[in-house]
Amino acid sequence: PIIKRILDLTPENRQTLLFSATMPKEIEELALSHMRNPARVEIAPQGTASELVEQEVAYVTHDDKRDVLEKLLGDNNGPALVFTRTRHGARKLAVIVREMGHHAGELHSDRTLAQRQSAMEGFRTGYHRVLVATDIAARGIDVKAISLIVNWDVPEHAEDYVHRIGRTGRAGATGKAVTLVLREQAREVRDIEKLLGTEIPISDLSTVSAPVF
């Protein structure tokens, strides 16, 4: 409704351009309803991940997750972004990361705007070595120095995986992305691999074997 109100105030003869990180059906329908014979310019096919990001999946039990995360943070000295599915999970995990001895900020919908801005500023400046976040941080943030992405939870949608790991491997820098996977979540990994068009290597940090399909 807001976009329609804005367009209603613009001249009938105009040039209209839409820029979007992704083009889901809803956004495409919105564009077609306000644009005349638009040309679509796509930088890369949807689901394309940067070749500069080293990807791994670690098959673990729920009880093993903490130890694997601690190992990952210990082996990687750079800034790390850790994703959870829920805001409640982000709050709990931020406490766990602090107990490991790391400065950790939180970014999720339960935080006020001031708290979110403080967390991001702390992460950008290096005060927070780790940022624990929900998918609110998977889009729209640009912190060039992030070297490690950890998916504590497998993302709910395969497309979100591409956005999450895209926070590293930016501006020519390399990065690493590790997803912690419970054996019952293996099919969700298959959906991600189908979107990417490639298999994701299994990490040496796995504590259980991967399911065989």
Side-chain angles (χ1 to χ4, degrees):
I2 294 173
I3 291 175
K4 186 177 185 305
R5 284 174 57 194
I6 292 172
L7 292 176
D8 285 344
L9 296 172
T10 62
E12 184 174 349
N13 293 322
R14 64 177 186 268
Q15 183 182 28
T16 305
L17 298 94
L18 168 71
F19 298 89
S20 179
T22 58
M23 192 64 70
K25 183 180 178 182
E26 295 80 7
I27 298 297
E28 189 169 12
E29 290 175 351
L30 175 68
L32 292 175
S33 67
H34 294 296
M35 304 173 80
R36 300 172 186 169
N37 300 318
R40 176 167 172 164
V41 179
E42 196 168 47
I43 303 302
Q46 189 163 326
T48 302
S50 171
E51 294 180 357
L52 296 175
V53 181
E54 178 189 354
Q55 303 176 57
E56 293 181 355
V57 292
Y59 283 92
V60 297
T61 66
H62 190 274
D63 291 340
D64 291 332
K65 277 189 171 186
R66 187 189 190 283
D67 290 341
V68 173
L69 176 60
E70 188 166 18
K71 172 79 168 136
L72 284 167
L73 294 177
D75 289 346
N76 189 297
N77 295 322
L81 181 53
V82 183
F83 282 104
T84 68
R85 276 194 181 186
T86 67
R87 57 194 178 184
H88 177 63
R91 286 197 306 269
K92 288 178 61 177
L93 187 55
V95 173
I96 291 172
V97 172
R98 292 179 192 124
E99 289 174 347
M100 294 176 185
H102 304 288
H103 274 286
E106 302 172 42
L107 195 64
H108 51 79
S109 59
D110 273 354
R111 308 293 279 177
T112 66
L113 177 59
Q115 287 173 324
R116 293 185 203 181
Q117 290 174 333
S118 176
M120 280 304 306
E121 184 62 21
F123 192 48
R124 283 195 181 97
T125 60
Y127 177 76
H128 295 311
R129 188 245 162 144
V130 181
L131 183 66
V132 181
T134 58
D135 283 316
I136 196 173
R139 296 168 170 84
I141 71 164
D142 184 18
V143 179
K144 294 182 175 62
I146 300 173
S147 60
L148 175 67
I149 302 293
V150 179
N151 291 314
W152 175 266
D153 296 317
V154 179
E156 189 171 357
H157 304 290
E159 294 82 0
D160 292 334
Y161 174 85
V162 178
H163 290 291
R164 286 183 180 188
I165 70 169
R167 299 310 98 197
T168 188
R170 300 170 72 83
T174 58
K176 184 169 184 173
V178 181
T179 303
L180 309 186
V181 185
L182 306 179
R183 292 187 93 246
E184 58 267 28
Q185 296 174 320
R187 293 197 179 277
E188 296 173 53
V189 174
R190 292 289 295 272
D191 289 340
I192 293 170
E193 292 176 333
K194 183 178 179 181
L195 177 67
L196 296 174
T198 186
E199 290 187 10
I200 304 173
I202 297 176
S203 171
D204 292 338
L205 294 175
S206 295
T207 60
V208 294
S209 60
V212 178
F213 291 94

